[in-house]
Amino acid sequence: MIELFLSQLLNGLVIGSVYALIALGFSLVFGVANLINFAQGALLMLGAFFAFTLIQWGLPIVVAGLLSIAATAAVGMLVERLALRPLRNAPAIAPLLSTLALAVIADAGAELIWSAESQPFPSPLQSFVVFVGGAFLTGVDIATFLVALAVMGGLMLFLSRSWTGRALRATAQDPEAAAQMGIDVALMRQVAFGLAGALGALAGILVAMYYQSVFPQMGVPFGIKGFAAALLGGLASIPGAVLGGFLLGIFENLASGYVGEGSRDLIAYSLLLLVLMVRPQGLLGTGRLEALGGVAGASGAIPTTSIIASLGGATARTRNRVLQPKPWMVLAVIALAALVPAIGSAYVVQVAAGCAVFAMLALSLTLLSGSAGVISIGHAALFGFGAYVCAILARNHGWPPAAILPAAAFGTAAMAALATLPAIRLTGHAVALATLAVGQVGYLLFLNWIELTRGPMGIAGIPRGSLFGLSMQPLDRQYWLALGLLALCYLVAHRLLESPIGRTWRAIREDRPAAHAAGVPVLRYLVLVAATSGLIAGLAGAQFAWLQAFVSPDSFLLETSIVLIAMVVLGGMGNIAGAVLAGVLLALLPEALRAFDEWRMIVYGLVLLALLRFRPQGLGGVK
Amino acid sequence: MIQRRSVMQGIAGIGLGAGAVALLPQRVAAQAGTVKFGFFGPFTGQFAANGQRFREAGELFLEQANATGGIAGRRLVVDFQDDRGDPLQSTNIAQRYVADAEVVAAIGSFTSTSSMAAGQVFAQAKMPQVSPTSSHPDYTKISPYQFRMPNTQDIVAELNAELMVNRLRTKRIALPYFQDDWGIFVAQATKAEIEKRGGEVILSEAMTQQARDFRAMITKIRAARADGIFIASHYAPSAVFMQQLRQAGIDVPVGGADPLYNPEFLRLAGAAAEGLVCTTYFFPSDPSKATFTEGYKAKYGREPDQWAAFAYDAIAIAAEGAKALLAAGRPLTREALRDAIDALPPYQGATGVTEFVNGTPRKPMTLLVVRNGSYQLYT
């Protein structure tokens, strides 16, 4: 069916040009500020809604579009002002969390302002259709493609020819040297964010025209895909972002055409993983110091995994007070927490048990991402794996908890080692992409492998069984089991981190080549940390399955992975006590803020921003 | 600098403080003269468009009920909670209701996953739960405490298939479905019924949850020479699907599942919606539904949709159960309320007549066609 191929190729080029625009936004910001801007999807959505409102006020679409692009560029600069600038001296990954907080605020704000409904967006060009054989193109497709190409060309000219463009690239290559040459580095960062905002708005307007509608959630998939496209191209490379965008667009449209719409993303992410194995630096992300890449790009950091290095900023005013309680203190707090059922209602116990599960997850991820420096944006898949192991064994095979716990723990540990294997061989930002892809593939398998997981229907009625002759049915006992597991995992993690193993993990994080040169079998240590992390995540998953008595893919979205990374950053990278604290706090917050009603998520974002503002190294301090 | 920092600390402090207060067990003095329900759904997040309709309908009923003398003289109180479509939050909410001794029934949620996660808690606590929308077959199997307002999909599928095969006279049918439990069940059941009637499903593909680009599927539908299409999906993606379908020049007859009866669908799809035939439980032009339809329009300034109607009926039927108990002079407990809801005579609501058999009704449905930009009865 040549018709299908041609049609999918054309669709891929059109959608790919939108991905490329978003990827360019990611690349610009990453190049200049060494920061992954999670608010990029939100900027896209805002751009579309600004244009929508202006059109409703009676402005012609082109004028509305231009004004919206300007306004979104201003919002982009505001993101820099709020998310990046106050955190200059924080660990390099901290601003990632503040962009996430801003994205949460923007999404919730859009629902309040424009309502959650999809609303029609005028698209005059849409009725113009050209048939190319059996395939067809609409006026919007052609406009999208041409506008995107023109903007990309213009951007490259701007970066290579204009003074500001050169200053931007200089800032990307070496901010300190650039500053000494008289470049206003702070201004350049703002310019990069402004450009990212403008690109996001443009993409948003094009998407709105393509869908002929706007809705608050519209930025989410494009944020993820744009990020993946940027990583695929080689995060800091401008031509790479464009290529990555087009390739991703074509990939997924061909997958959709030949395998089926339902497996579109599954195939797109699996292919991404494959590309990564062959070209870990991204397609065009070579060591060449071209475009925005520069030194920062070539070292391929997300940002650098070294926490010490990123703390040693020029103005080291930050105090890194590290929270390092003795293990008995943590155990004492957990023991105190065990008294909750005596004073609180079942609701409080349920919430507290959820907090314990998320504390375990944060603990598990801080080992991998904090101590060993393998930033994972796919941890929810391991959590889900543990939960599904428990659900299937308990529900379909009647296994008792005493058998399920080790099965979930070691099964997930093996899975983690296996799933992290492609990521571990990679360095820098490629790790983030690999884990993102693994996380998405995991989620999509939960969703699509209906024979095993029952897909979106979920698995209900998971029996809690009995442990050591004690029925685990009562909620209080589930809570105590969760606390017990948390205490156990904490002790194990603490022992490991205090031992030479933990020191080796931190050595690998700080300087992998040096560790390697010193004779450390890096790969073996990384597999070990992945397995340990997976073991804890598996226990958390099993506990979650019993607690809910119901599992469905909805609990293991990318959103969950991002919240987990947020917990690790908020806790202080590599600080297990901090991770437990942050895990409890971030799991508690959405419940605790119920009084704010529809403002709940906005307050959630504000609290995150504020916490980060006065403890940039995280609550526990980095370790 | 110092000032700003203290402001930020203030925000953090207020947030955490408010949180701590919110978590404290609520010991409001028990009011003898009230009936209290819990009402939860995704008021924010991915499904907020549906969840907000729920909430509006719930608040409308609350207002109307209390304006007309409450429930057998008692004032109705409703605790609205947002679950964001997240099963974890819905179990938390369920425990919250269970812990509040005054709450005698819970209404919610929108997604089957949230309804079922919460259902496990309600079943244990023996609290009746009425879900306005969950069509998942397993939902009412959790316990006798679960009720739902829509038919199960095997009932709906008979009508879907009859529409496609007998009314629209199509034989080679494409069946795109939304990738959630509802869409999967509709597609499975409708396919079986179509085949029973001698039709053929030549293509059945999932629309992923956030997808709005269906051209690949449309190209395949054209290549497979389908002579009819049945859409088992929600209104927003379906509107985009219809536009892309008509753009591609495919003008075969299209039938749709009940979510396509929605004023927003017409706004979004515009001319591309013309000629579509869909099933529905609820048609507001029907004069017998005026209390709901007129009340909703007056309060919110827009037409209600089917989700609002379901939510309105769900809370109304729980209230009806409480009224029956109180009128009989019996104490209003959770278990007694379950039995009262189960034993209610056929209830005439906005979505038709509801009579529960094992928690599930069997309601008649209507066929509507889109003509000249509005829905009309299809005859």
Side-chain angles (χ1 to χ4, degrees):
Chain A
M1 274 204 300
I2 185 75
E3 179 189 53
L4 182 63
F5 180 79
L6 184 66
S7 156
Q8 289 317 92
L9 196 65
L10 289 175
N11 292 345
L13 281 174
V14 173
I15 275 294
S17 55
V18 174
Y19 291 162
L21 286 177
I22 305 160
L24 279 174
F26 273 111
S27 293
L28 275 168
V29 167
F30 182 83
V32 172
N34 228 7
L35 164 71
I36 290 171
N37 178 12
F38 274 122
Q40 192 71 35
L43 289 173
L44 179 147
M45 179 269 296
L46 284 180
F49 268 107
F50 287 155
F52 169 75
T53 301
L54 292 170
I55 290 169
Q56 281 202 319
W57 289 350
L59 291 179
I61 188 162
V62 177
V63 181
L66 289 176
L67 284 177
S68 152
I69 289 172
T72 317
V75 175
M77 290 187 183
L78 196 67
V79 170
E80 191 270 346
R81 193 70 192 75
L82 292 176
L84 187 65
R85 202 173 293 179
L87 296 175
R88 274 184 311 257
N89 299 319
I93 198 167
L96 178 144
L97 183 48
S98 51
T99 60
L100 179 67
L102 289 176
V104 168
I105 295 174
D107 284 355
E111 274 176 24
L112 280 180
I113 298 172
W114 288 289
S115 99
E117 299 277 356
S118 286
Q119 308 195 51
F121 190 91
S123 185
L125 292 170
Q126 195 69 294
S127 48
F128 171 80
V129 181
V130 198
F131 283 86
V132 186
F136 68 100
L137 277 174
T138 67
V140 171
D141 298 345
I142 298 167
T144 301
F145 189 66
L146 293 181
V147 169
L149 276 192
V151 167
M152 290 173 212
L155 187 68
M156 288 203 207
L157 273 181
F158 166 75
L159 285 173
S160 58
R161 298 293 155 82
S162 76
W163 195 91
T164 316
R166 284 202 293 262
L168 265 176
R169 281 159 53 217
T171 309
Q173 286 193 5
D174 192 334
E176 260 128 54
Q180 284 168 0
M181 303 316 266
I183 292 171
D184 186 346
V185 171
L187 182 67
M188 285 306 124
R189 293 209 174 105
Q190 281 214 304
V191 170
F193 271 88
L195 280 174
L199 287 167
L202 179 63
I205 295 164
L206 294 173
V207 168
M209 282 166 58
Y210 189 79
Y211 290 168
Q212 304 180 49
S213 53
V214 283
F215 49 104
Q217 307 289 325
M218 67 188 289
V220 177
F222 284 94
I224 302 171
K225 294 282 173 59
F227 177 43
L231 288 165
L232 179 64
L235 200 45
S237 156
I238 292 295
V242 174
L243 183 66
F246 279 121
L247 279 183
L248 189 61
I250 294 170
F251 264 1
E252 61 166 45
N253 271 286
L254 288 179
S256 162
Y258 286 98
V259 188
E261 179 62 30
S263 36
R264 170 189 201 136
D265 288 1
L266 188 59
I267 289 178
Y269 285 109
S270 307
L271 266 173
L272 266 181
L273 262 181
L274 278 182
V275 169
L276 267 182
M277 315 274 268
V278 186
R279 273 194 79 78
Q281 69 275 47
L283 293 169
L284 297 186
T286 57
R288 283 179 297 160
L289 303 181
E290 58 161 15
L292 273 178
V295 180
S299 67
I302 181 188
T304 163
T305 54
S306 164
I307 289 164
I308 308 298
S310 65
L311 266 181
T315 52
R317 282 192 303 120
T318 32
R319 291 154 300 164
N320 182 24
R321 278 172 307 185
V322 180
L323 177 75
Q324 271 179 301
K326 297 262 177 268
W328 66 263
M329 298 184 199
V330 177
L331 291 189
V333 173
I334 293 178
L336 268 181
L339 298 177
V340 163
I343 49 168
S345 65
Y347 166 57
V348 177
V349 178
Q350 178 89 25
V351 173
C355 289
V357 169
F358 274 89
M360 283 166 78
L361 287 170
L363 176 67
S364 135
L365 186 58
T366 209
L367 288 179
L368 184 64
S369 298
S371 300
V374 180
I375 302 292
S376 168
I377 320 183
H379 214 58
L382 294 179
F383 172 40
F385 186 83
Y388 273 104
V389 165
C390 173
I392 291 167
L393 290 181
R395 170 91 208 283
N396 303 352
H397 304 282
W399 283 33
I404 287 175
L405 281 173
F410 292 107
T412 314
M415 196 63 206
L418 204 68
T420 325
L421 216 47
I424 276 172
R425 291 190 169 279
L426 308 172
T427 53
H429 63 252
V431 177
L433 178 53
T435 54
L436 170 77
V438 167
Q440 288 295 84
V441 167
Y443 163 72
L444 292 165
L445 282 178
F446 300 148
L447 192 67
N448 284 304
W449 195 349
I450 292 177
E451 298 77 27
L452 186 69
T453 64
R454 298 181 34 87
M457 286 92 85
I459 300 177
I462 299 163
R464 289 172 173 172
S466 54
L467 195 61
F468 307 124
L470 211 60
S471 163
M472 293 308 287
Q473 190 53 38
L475 178 63
D476 293 355
R477 291 186 188 158
Q478 285 296 323
Y479 172 60
W480 287 322
L481 176 62
L483 284 184
L485 290 174
L486 174 63
L488 187 71
C489 294
Y490 185 86
L491 283 182
V492 170
H494 180 79
R495 275 305 291 138
L496 279 172
L497 287 180
E498 294 300 309
S499 74
I501 296 177
R503 217 169 309 134
T504 313
W505 286 341
R506 287 192 290 272
I508 293 171
R509 172 188 79 193
E510 289 306 317
D511 196 333
R512 192 182 288 196
H516 189 70
V520 172
V522 171
L523 198 64
R524 212 179 300 160
Y525 272 94
L526 287 179
V527 170
L528 179 66
V529 75
T532 314
S533 175
L535 189 123
I536 300 176
L539 288 176
Q543 180 59 66
F544 179 77
W546 282 316
L547 191 63
Q548 295 284 95
F550 177 76
V551 290
S552 71
D554 288 350
S555 301
F556 314 111
L557 298 167
L558 177 65
E559 229 176 277
T560 312
S561 293
I562 293 176
V563 168
L564 290 178
I565 266 287
M567 288 172 181
V568 168
V569 175
L570 187 63
M573 305 286 289
N575 185 324
I576 50 172
V580 168
L581 183 65
V584 169
L585 195 64
L586 286 195
L588 196 59
L589 216 46
E591 275 313 304
L593 297 178
R594 287 204 171 274
F596 291 97
D597 210 351
E598 68 257 54
W599 293 82
R600 180 162 68 118
M601 292 318 285
I602 292 183
V603 178
Y604 176 85
L606 285 176
V607 171
L608 254 186
L609 268 184
L611 283 174
L612 211 60
R613 179 73 181 76
F614 89 100
R615 278 298 284 171
Q617 305 81 31
L619 297 173
V622 296
K623 202 175 155 198
Chain B
M1 239 7 211
I2 289 166
Q3 273 182 343
R4 184 169 322 125
R5 169 164 297 197
S6 57
V7 169
M8 296 301 261
Q9 284 181 347
I11 293 179
I14 291 170
L16 296 177
V21 172
L23 273 181
L24 287 175
Q26 291 176 318
R27 299 202 197 284
V28 186
Q31 290 167 293
T34 63
V35 174
K36 190 168 179 184
F37 292 156
F39 189 111
F40 65 113
F43 306 149
T44 67
Q46 200 188 339
F47 304 104
N50 309 110
Q52 286 174 0
R53 292 285 196 170
F54 267 36
R55 185 173 184 154
E56 287 176 357
E59 280 176 350
L60 175 68
F61 180 81
L62 176 65
E63 190 183 283
Q64 289 179 343
N66 283 336
T68 53
I71 295 175
R74 293 207 201 175
R75 202 163 62 82
L76 178 64
V77 180
V78 179
D79 180 8
F80 290 96
Q81 294 295 342
D82 168 30
D83 66 22
R84 280 186 80 77
D86 174 0
L88 178 66
Q89 294 201 19
S90 47
T91 36
N92 286 341
I93 292 170
Q95 290 287 13
R96 189 186 171 100
Y97 291 154
V98 168
D100 181 345
E102 285 182 47
V103 175
V104 288
I107 319 299
S109 172
F110 173 72
T111 59
S112 289
T113 48
S114 279
S115 306
M116 289 181 67
Q120 320 281 334
V121 175
F122 293 130
Q124 269 220 312
K126 298 194 186 325
M127 180 185 308
Q129 173 190 12
V130 188
S131 168
T133 45
S134 298
S135 57
H136 194 308
D138 292 349
Y139 164 71
T140 45
K141 289 182 195 154
I142 296 175
S143 80
Y145 287 85
Q146 270 68 37
F147 298 93
R148 68 170 123 226
M149 300 314 291
N151 298 334
T152 51
Q153 289 315 324
D154 35 352
I155 303 173
V156 181
E158 291 173 17
L159 184 62
N160 294 343
E162 193 188 292
L163 165 66
M164 292 312 292
V165 180
N166 304 70
R167 303 292 294 274
L168 295 174
R169 302 196 176 284
T170 56
K171 284 274 175 282
R172 297 169 55 78
I173 297 157
L175 212 168
Y177 61 92
F178 192 74
Q179 197 177 33
D180 62 5
D181 59 284
W182 169 82
I184 291 175
F185 283 125
V186 180
Q188 278 175 358
T190 304
K191 180 167 188 263
E193 288 293 330
I194 285 175
E195 281 161 3
K196 215 184 275 175
R197 286 170 169 73
E200 189 188 354
V201 174
I202 49 160
L203 178 139
S204 178
E205 268 188 33
M207 295 174 159
T208 54
Q209 301 212 349
Q210 284 164 331
R212 289 289 192 282
D213 177 12
F214 306 110
R215 290 198 197 167
M217 203 193 297
I218 288 168
T219 309
K220 278 191 270 183
I221 289 174
R222 188 218 303 270
R225 289 191 306 283
D227 65 3
I229 298 170
F230 184 82
I231 311 176
S233 183
H234 299 288
Y235 77 86
S238 300
V240 180
F241 178 88
M242 285 306 291
Q243 285 172 329
Q244 292 174 354
L245 184 77
R246 297 311 189 205
Q247 261 168 22
I250 301 178
D251 52 5
V252 299
V254 181
D258 51 281
L260 298 197
Y261 168 65
N262 193 319
E264 300 292 331
F265 174 73
L266 293 188
R267 275 183 67 211
L268 284 174
E274 280 299 302
L276 176 122
V277 184
C278 66
T279 59
T280 187
Y281 295 91
F282 163 70
F283 185 45
S285 306
D286 183 341
S288 68
K289 325 234 149 122
T291 326
F292 169 61
T293 314
E294 295 309 317
Y296 192 96
K297 266 198 268 189
K299 192 164 158 75
Y300 302 109
R302 56 175 181 166
E303 291 259 335
D305 68 357
Q306 182 177 286
W307 305 129
F310 269 134
Y312 186 85
D313 277 1
I315 187 168
I317 215 160
E320 202 64 22
K323 202 182 280 175
L325 265 187
L326 293 171
R330 294 174 49 209
L332 180 60
T333 64
R334 292 168 179 173
E335 284 175 63
L337 181 55
R338 189 223 84 89
D339 296 340
I341 293 174
D342 194 32
L344 277 178
Y347 174 77
Q348 179 76 43
T351 58
V353 181
T354 303
E355 187 179 16
F356 292 117
V357 178
N358 297 326
T360 298
R362 191 183 179 106
K363 295 180 182 178
M365 297 177 79
T366 328
L367 288 176
L368 297 178
V369 61
V370 178
R371 275 207 195 102
N372 304 322
S374 69
Y375 290 100
Q376 297 172 10
L377 283 172
Y378 181 68
T379 44

